[in-house]
Amino acid sequence: MSDPVTALKGAKGTAGFATVTEIGPVGMITLRGDFANKAVVKAAVAASGMTFPEQRRCATQGDQGMAWMSPDEVLIMCPYAEVHDRLENLQTALAKHHALAVNVSDARAVFRVRSPKVREVVAKLAPVDMDEAAFTIGMFRRTRFAQVPAAFWMPEADVIQVVCFRSVAQYMFDILNNAAKTGSEVGHF
Amino acid sequence: MLTIHCPNCGVTAEETEFHAHGEAHLKRFGPGSSEDDFESYLFMRKNPKGVHFERWHHRYGCGKWFHVARCTMTLEVFGSYTGQTSVPPQQIIDTIQDRRPDWVPAQDQA
């Protein structure tokens, strides 16, 4: 099999007040289905190794996680090498149910932004209230970053992780670095 | 700028995360209907100054549709509610009547 290559080959930007790193490849499975159906939830939990997330939240642990995307969609994250096995098991478990599970690992780019002022980087780009009381660790938010759709969450207090489409990876990398330019700190948070 | 609440995922955000998609609660006239009905279903839209019901799409968020009641003159947003309905729920009507006492819902107009 050919080697997986991320969109920006692990580009890293350290010039600003935040470090922007393209991470990955990350294994990602999109699961759509009716989560009122216990069998679908059970299959998602088994495939992700995580508890089922509440509305607008995500649960992550090491390399694996599960995020709430919409009332009928979750995103399952896992190590890239395991994604085929996990997807196969998931599809076997869902064979008799109305649900859709797709491997979207190579369709996405993932960035990690690290800085004590990381909330400022997001607040400059997305229409999201980044106050510490409003956006807490464990929340997951789908929104836009400048002109492109993206989703992000905070695994730790000074880290955000952003998922976007692979085709806009360079744009995302550029706007994140631009928002983190040294001297552009607003100091609001 | 409008602040919109999405009843599907519970996010409240400003309007650029959403997309407005025109008048809500249209009655469909399909095959077998008269030409006048079909034309009005396709092309004729209300353009009120005041209370208006619209379909909105949470484009950058959960990707689901819902309804919003707002005022086209003051840009006040009265509330949002499920997309799975053909008339505004009583709670929304009460909110609007609280703010606009002379307003009468379309379904009650003679």
Side-chain angles (χ1 to χ4, degrees):
Chain A
M1 218 176 93
S2 44
D3 293 330
V5 176
T6 63
L8 304 179
K9 302 195 174 67
K12 192 166 183 174
T14 51
F17 65 82
T19 320
V20 181
T21 321
E22 195 213 12
I23 58 167
V26 177
M28 281 183 263
I29 299 167
T30 283
L31 171 65
R32 294 195 87 144
D34 178 7
F35 298 126
N37 182 348
K38 286 211 172 65
V40 178
V41 173
K42 220 173 126 188
V45 168
S48 64
M50 304 298 302
T51 52
F52 197 79
E54 288 167 48
Q55 191 181 47
R56 293 198 312 284
R57 295 192 76 82
C58 74
T60 49
Q61 194 178 66
D63 283 347
Q64 60 182 16
M66 179 153 53
W68 192 95
M69 297 285 274
S70 82
D72 59 358
E73 181 177 344
V74 289
L75 179 69
I76 295 167
M77 290 168 277
C78 66
Y80 189 86
E82 294 174 20
V83 68
H84 288 287
D85 290 343
R86 290 201 190 209
L87 183 62
E88 208 171 293
N89 293 340
L90 181 59
Q91 278 173 339
T92 314
L94 292 172
K96 289 190 178 143
H97 300 279
H98 183 65
L100 175 79
V102 180
N103 176 5
V104 293
S105 314
D106 298 310
R108 303 267 171 87
V110 189
F111 294 91
R112 181 175 287 153
V113 186
R114 182 182 288 273
S115 163
K117 296 174 193 146
V118 74
R119 286 173 185 274
E120 285 202 3
V121 179
V122 180
K124 284 181 189 179
L125 298 168
V128 179
D129 185 356
M130 287 308 291
D131 190 78
E132 268 176 57
F135 196 88
T136 55
I137 294 171
M139 278 189 181
F140 187 86
R141 176 71 190 260
R142 285 173 82 182
T143 180
R144 64 178 177 87
F145 271 54
Q147 299 183 25
V148 294
F152 72 94
W153 72 100
M154 291 183 91
E156 300 161 43
D158 56 354
V159 176
I160 63 146
Q161 212 146 309
V162 184
V163 180
C164 67
F165 288 115
R166 187 187 181 105
S167 55
V168 294
Q170 184 67 53
Y171 177 83
M172 181 62 78
F173 184 73
D174 293 345
I175 57 169
L176 286 171
N177 277 302
N178 190 46
K181 232 179 208 169
T182 310
S184 74
E185 298 95 329
V186 179
H188 182 66
F189 299 108
Chain B
M1 184 164 274
L2 306 173
T3 303
I4 307 276
H5 175 78
C6 172
N8 298 306
C9 66
V11 161
T12 302
E14 46 98 347
E15 67 187 71
T16 60
E17 202 177 295
F18 300 87
H19 186 73
H21 223 89
E23 186 185 334
H25 309 310
L26 297 174
K27 184 175 187 296
R28 181 173 185 268
F29 289 95
S33 62
S34 76
E35 285 186 0
D36 283 350
D37 281 345
F38 188 58
E39 186 213 13
S40 83
Y41 161 65
L42 274 187
F43 301 116
M44 299 310 184
R45 294 293 179 267
K46 288 186 195 123
N47 184 20
K49 181 183 178 184
V51 177
H52 192 37
F53 297 93
E54 285 173 333
R55 293 156 71 228
W56 281 73
H57 180 215
H58 197 177
R59 174 155 290 179
Y60 290 104
C62 63
K64 304 288 177 209
W65 291 87
F66 57 97
H67 286 130
V68 171
R70 68 181 187 97
C71 177
T72 58
M73 188 167 64
T74 63
L75 300 187
E76 177 179 359
V77 176
F78 298 112
S80 46
Y81 52 99
T82 172
Q84 312 297 321
T85 178
S86 52
V87 285
Q90 192 57 43
Q91 195 196 341
I92 293 285
I93 291 174
D94 290 346
T95 312
I96 299 172
Q97 278 174 336
D98 193 40
R99 303 280 303 154
R100 301 278 185 279
D102 355 336
W103 178 79
V104 182
Q107 62 265 33
D108 296 348
Q109 279 168 12

